[in-house]
Amino acid sequence: PACKFRHLLPGQHVFEGVLFFGYSPPEVLDAVKFFDVRYDDVFIATYPKAGTTWMQEITWLLMNDGNFETAMKTPVYMRSPFLEFKDTRLEENGLEIASAAPSPRVIKTHLPLKLMPHQIHDKKSKIILFFRNPKDVCVSYYNFYKSSSSFGTFHGDWPEFLEMFREGHVDHGSWFDFTKSWWPLRKQPNVKLMYFEDMKQNPFAEIKMLAEFLGKDHIDDGVLSTIAAHCSFERMKDNPMTNHLDVYSIDSSVSPLLRKGLVGDWKNQFTVKQNEDFDKLYFDKLGQLNIPFKYTL
Ligand code: A3P
C-alpha cells in the first residue's frame, strides 16, 4: 500500500493489514500465532516508542526480585525477548529466544491484539499494556526512524513522517489500530494498563502498583525505590545495559534511543495546524473511547 511514500522499501510487507519490515517476516508472524504461552509469562504490549524499554527494565527487575547484579551484566534486550523480531546481532529470532528462555519470561511485543499468540486468551498469562500519548509517540518515532538503519535510514522530513504515522504506514502499523485493539482488555484481571505519563509523574507509586499486579507485593519499599532510581531516564541513559548504544542499527549521534524521555516534547515539533488536524483525526478514530491520555504534565 501507499506507494506515495517514497521510502517504502522492498523488504517491507503487509501482514493482515499491518505494515512490517523484514525483521518481522510473514513466516515469523505466522509462527507467533502458535507460540506456546506459559501461565507465568508476562507480556509487555506497547506500540513502538511508548517507553517499552523502560517498562521492560522495571518489569524484569520486579519479576526477578530486584536482581540488579544480573541486570547490570546483561542487556535488557537479552533478558526480555522481542517476540516477533529478528535482531541482526543475534543468531536466533525473538520467538526462538523466548521459547528457550526459563520461566518467568518477560516478553516484549508491539503486535496489535489480533496478531498475538492464540493461547494468550486461554492461558491468562499477565499482560502489561503501556500507553503513551500519540503526539509524543509520533515525535519519538520520527527521531527513531531518522536514526535507525532498520528503517532504511529515513531521509524524509517531519510533515512526511507525520502523514505516515497518521496513515499507519510505519513499522507495526497504525497506532490507532494498536490502541483500539487492546483497549477492551484493560479491565481483565490478567491485564494491567499503565501510562508513560503516570510513570513519569510518580514512578514509585506506579512501580508499587505494578509489583502488586505481578504478585510481587513481598518486595519491600526500599527495593522498589531502588528500582525506581535505577530506571530513571538519566540512569538508564548512562547504563550500557539499557541505553542500546551497542545496537548498531541505531545511530545515536543522530538520535539515541533514550532521547529526551519527556511528556509534552511534541509541542516542539507540531505546528498549531498539525496539532489541530491531529486532534480531529484522534477524535474521529478514538474519540468515543475516552482514553485518559495526558499531553502535558
Ligand atoms: P523519547 O524519544 O521521547 O525520548 P521504546 O523503548 O518503546 O522504543 O521508547 C523509547 C522512548 O521511551 C524514548 O522517548 C525514550 O527516551 C523513552 N524512555 C526510555 N527509558 C525512559 C526512562 N527511563 N524514563 C523516561 N523515558 C524513557
Side-chain angles (χ1 to χ4, degrees):
C3 305
K4 65 179 176 169
F5 298 117
R6 61 186 145 81
H7 52 272
L8 275 188
L9 303 170
Q12 294 176 337
H13 66 101
V14 175
F15 187 87
E16 298 187 20
V18 184
L19 180 78
F20 287 97
F21 284 75
Y23 304 92
S24 306
E27 60 276 14
V28 167
L29 294 166
D30 273 326
V32 161
K33 293 192 173 181
F34 300 98
F35 177 69
D36 273 322
V37 173
R38 303 179 197 157
Y39 293 99
D40 55 1
D41 284 337
V42 179
F43 287 90
I44 297 176
T46 57
Y47 188 80
K49 315 324 287 177
T52 321
T53 317
W54 192 13
M55 187 50 92
Q56 283 173 285
E57 185 69 355
I58 294 168
T59 303
W60 188 90
L61 281 164
L62 289 172
M63 291 306 292
N64 291 277
D65 299 319
N67 184 347
F68 295 100
E69 204 188 317
T70 302
M72 292 305 287
K73 276 200 300 237
T74 317
V76 61
Y77 55 78
M78 303 289 292
R79 287 177 273 129
S80 170
F82 183 177
L83 186 62
E84 68 273 16
F85 190 83
K86 167 83 173 85
D87 192 312
T88 47
R89 285 157 305 167
L90 306 173
E91 279 285 300
E92 297 163 306
N93 65 32
L95 207 56
E96 292 160 334
I97 296 170
S99 300
S103 292
R105 304 180 292 191
V106 177
I107 300 172
K108 159 184 169 179
T109 180
H110 291 321
L111 293 174
L113 180 62
K114 69 175 181 185
L115 299 184
M116 286 292 285
H118 299 314
Q119 289 182 8
I120 61 156
H121 297 287
D122 310 324
K123 295 271 170 92
K124 298 282 181 229
S125 45
K126 293 193 169 82
I127 300 171
I128 300 165
L129 302 173
F130 199 37
F131 280 9
R132 183 183 191 186
N133 84 65
K135 296 175 191 175
D136 281 328
V137 167
C138 183
V139 172
S140 182
Y141 214 177
Y142 169 56
N143 283 284
F144 192 62
Y145 252 69
K146 286 198 297 186
S147 67
S148 175
S149 60
S150 306
F151 304 124
T153 309
F154 176 66
H155 293 299
D157 57 10
W158 161 246
E160 185 179 357
F161 186 84
L162 178 58
E163 184 59 20
M164 288 159 57
F165 185 84
R166 291 171 50 109
E167 297 289 326
H169 291 293
V170 287
D171 185 41
H172 278 81
S174 161
W175 177 88
F176 297 94
D177 291 349
F178 174 93
T179 303
K180 207 195 297 190
S181 79
W182 282 103
W183 176 248
L185 274 70
R186 70 195 180 282
K187 290 183 177 157
Q188 282 183 198
N190 62 318
V191 175
K192 181 83 184 155
L193 170 59
M194 308 199 72
Y195 293 88
F196 182 102
E197 294 78 13
D198 294 342
M199 187 64 84
K200 191 79 196 170
Q201 197 161 29
N202 203 343
F204 179 83
E206 293 295 302
I207 291 171
K208 193 168 172 73
M209 210 191 312
L210 187 58
E212 275 158 30
F213 169 70
L214 293 171
K216 291 285 177 181
D217 23 14
H218 57 269
I219 301 179
D220 71 53
D221 284 1
V223 175
L224 296 180
S225 294
T226 312
I227 292 176
H230 172 97
C231 295
S232 71
F233 179 80
E234 292 72 21
R235 289 271 292 280
M236 277 186 59
K237 194 177 168 70
D238 281 346
N239 178 355
M241 298 302 119
T242 53
N243 64 17
H244 285 50
L245 288 185
D246 62 334
V247 176
Y248 61 74
S249 64
I250 302 173
D251 182 348
S252 292
S253 66
V254 177
S255 183
L257 178 86
L258 278 95
R259 188 182 60 94
K260 291 190 179 176
L262 298 175
V263 178
D265 184 46
W266 61 270
K267 290 179 191 163
N268 298 314
Q269 192 71 59
F270 281 71
T271 64
V272 171
K273 172 88 168 74
Q274 287 167 346
N275 185 39
E276 286 169 2
D277 290 347
F278 194 91
D279 285 344
K280 274 189 210 122
L281 180 75
Y282 183 91
F283 186 79
D284 287 347
K285 286 189 177 274
L286 295 186
Q288 75 282 13
L289 299 182
N290 291 315
I291 307 178
F293 283 117
K294 291 181 187 152
Y295 291 89
T296 182
L297 285 184

